[in-house]
Amino acid sequence: MKIIVLLIIGALLGAGFTFFGKPLLQGLDDMTGGETTEENQPLYWVAPMDPNFRRDGPGKSPMGMDLIPVYAEDESGDAGGVEIPGHVQQQIGVRTEAVEPRVPSQAIRSLGIIRYDEHEIVHIHPRVTGWIEELFVRAEGDPVKRNDPVYQIYSPELVSAQEELVLALNRQN
């Protein structure tokens, strides 16, 4: 019976220290003058989903999530890098090797999509009304060289402007 009572008292003391021990220990820090080192102070706060969103203090990210503190020991030169602790590397069998060029020992088959450079696309927008009489490029991807015609257009506006130009040239006007 005494053992059961001692176990219950021990469990209650453990639970009490778990819930109330941290504030008591923080109170001890306050009694010592509240000395905190700069190592324990966060450098800045970042959004968990966007490491480019930084703030000087705690708060909320644009997505409504709490900002995460970044400490000096957490900050590395690699933005967005992944760091795996040594014991985990050993458990999952990570091997590192110096990088050197070499031919793969096996053929590598992969799926890929080949597309054209969309920056090189030229759009043609005639500024006259009319219709296309003959189309020289029939399908997307047909080869076209410089100065090759793409289409032949007939426009009554262009025909009348051309006739006026010929008349003006004949009259030397």
Side-chain angles (χ1 to χ4, degrees):
M1 188 69 174
K2 289 180 183 180
I3 295 176
I4 294 174
V5 171
L6 289 176
L7 285 174
I8 292 174
I9 291 173
L12 289 175
L13 285 174
F17 184 74
T18 302
F19 290 113
F20 302 112
K22 188 173 182 180
L24 289 175
L25 292 175
Q26 286 176 347
L28 289 175
D29 285 344
D30 293 340
M31 286 184 210
T32 60
E35 296 175 14
T36 57
T37 62
E38 288 195 22
E39 291 179 11
N40 295 335
Q41 297 295 323
L43 297 174
Y44 52 87
W45 298 72
V46 297
M49 301 295 283
D50 182 12
N52 295 324
F53 183 82
R54 295 182 178 187
R55 293 293 177 256
D56 292 334
K60 296 278 187 184
S61 72
M63 300 174 96
M65 301 172 75
D66 291 331
L67 296 178
I68 298 172
V70 175
Y71 298 96
E73 62 268 6
D74 294 343
E75 190 173 67
S76 64
D78 258 349
V82 176
E83 187 175 322
I84 302 173
H87 69 281
V88 176
Q89 287 181 15
Q90 189 173 8
Q91 289 172 350
I92 62 175
V94 173
R95 292 184 303 150
T96 58
E97 214 174 297
V99 177
E100 59 184 46
R102 58 181 152 167
V103 178
S105 60
Q106 296 177 337
I108 299 173
R109 293 183 175 212
S110 127
L111 178 65
I113 298 172
I114 299 173
R115 295 189 179 176
Y116 52 87
D117 185 4
E118 294 185 8
H119 296 289
E120 299 294 324
I121 295 176
V122 176
H123 296 276
I124 301 172
H125 302 281
R127 290 180 168 73
V128 294
T129 57
W131 55 88
I132 294 175
E133 286 194 328
E134 189 174 354
L135 188 62
F136 299 107
V137 178
R138 299 251 178 231
E140 184 177 316
D142 282 354
V144 178
K145 295 179 184 167
R146 183 180 292 228
N147 297 328
D148 281 355
V150 177
Y151 59 84
Q152 184 176 1
I153 189 170
Y154 177 78
S155 171
E157 291 177 9
L158 282 178
V159 171
S160 66
Q162 182 180 4
E163 289 173 352
E164 289 176 15
L165 176 66
V166 169
L167 284 173
L169 290 174
N170 289 338
R171 293 182 186 166
Q172 296 179 351
N173 185 4

